[in-house]
Amino acid sequence: MAPRQTGTAPDSPRSSQSPPPTGSQGDLELELLGLANALYNLGTTVINDSTKERDKPGGGKQVGLRVNEVVNHLATVDDMAHHISATIPMQVLADIDNSKNPMQLTRERLERAATENQFMNGKIAAIDSYRQYLDEALAQNFPEIEALFMEKASTETQHVNGNGS
């Protein structure tokens, strides 16, 4: 097993929000953070490594070392995958493959769910208002069944307030 990096990625929510889960899922998460860090280090090494430094004595390239770190992390993640039974929706993987930020997608989906929830709550309120108006009109025009509407209204009020069974 490759040594784990303890530093967190700059955009990781983990350092300020909550500790990693315990057990194999937590180990996998830490390994993935280490992989992200190793990939970041590889990218910066490739960018900073100029061809001028290649010919300097003692200025050997670090790219090979960084690639080996990434490969070691990938091998560890592959080994750990056999012990994890989590499933990931294909849409999430497709979005990541299409270079979409999972955090942004999650935020968009939560906002859409909240909007749809508000819309549905508006529909429910409109139907309740219409039903109350209809009950009042029926009670006014059919006084002999008004007691049924009043009983129904008091029962619903008890259920809404949590006093009903």
Side-chain angles (χ1 to χ4, degrees), residues 5-147:
Q5 301 281 344
T6 56
T8 58
D11 60 346
S12 173
R14 181 61 66 207
S15 63
S16 65
Q17 291 184 4
S18 64
T22 57
S24 58
Q25 186 175 356
D27 293 341
L28 179 62
E29 186 171 324
L30 290 173
E31 190 62 37
L32 288 171
L33 285 172
L35 174 62
N37 193 25
L39 287 168
Y40 177 80
N41 290 339
L42 174 61
T44 56
T45 301
V46 168
I47 290 171
N48 292 333
D49 192 22
S50 68
T51 55
K52 293 179 189 174
E53 292 177 2
R54 183 185 313 165
D55 298 329
K56 286 184 179 177
K61 290 188 161 198
Q62 295 290 318
V63 175
L65 176 66
R66 301 291 188 202
V67 169
N68 286 339
E69 288 176 6
V70 170
V71 169
N72 288 337
H73 281 289
L74 288 171
T76 304
V77 168
D78 187 50
D79 290 340
M80 294 174 125
H82 301 293
H83 306 290
I84 304 287
S85 62
T87 56
I88 300 171
M90 288 303 295
Q91 183 63 44
V92 171
L93 297 176
D95 289 340
I96 292 171
D97 281 344
N98 292 327
S99 301
K100 294 181 182 173
N101 184 344
M103 298 289 278
Q104 180 66 28
L105 290 169
T106 302
R107 182 176 27 252
E108 288 171 2
R109 288 182 180 139
L110 287 174
E111 288 172 356
R112 180 177 175 192
T115 301
E116 289 177 3
N117 187 26
Q118 289 175 347
F119 181 71
M120 191 55 64
N121 285 339
K123 281 184 170 183
I124 291 169
I127 289 171
D128 284 344
S129 174
Y130 176 75
R131 186 179 45 84
Q132 184 179 10
Y133 177 73
L134 181 62
D135 287 349
E136 289 171 3
L138 287 170
Q140 197 173 39
N141 291 306
F142 300 99
E144 62 274 6
I145 60 172
E146 181 177 3

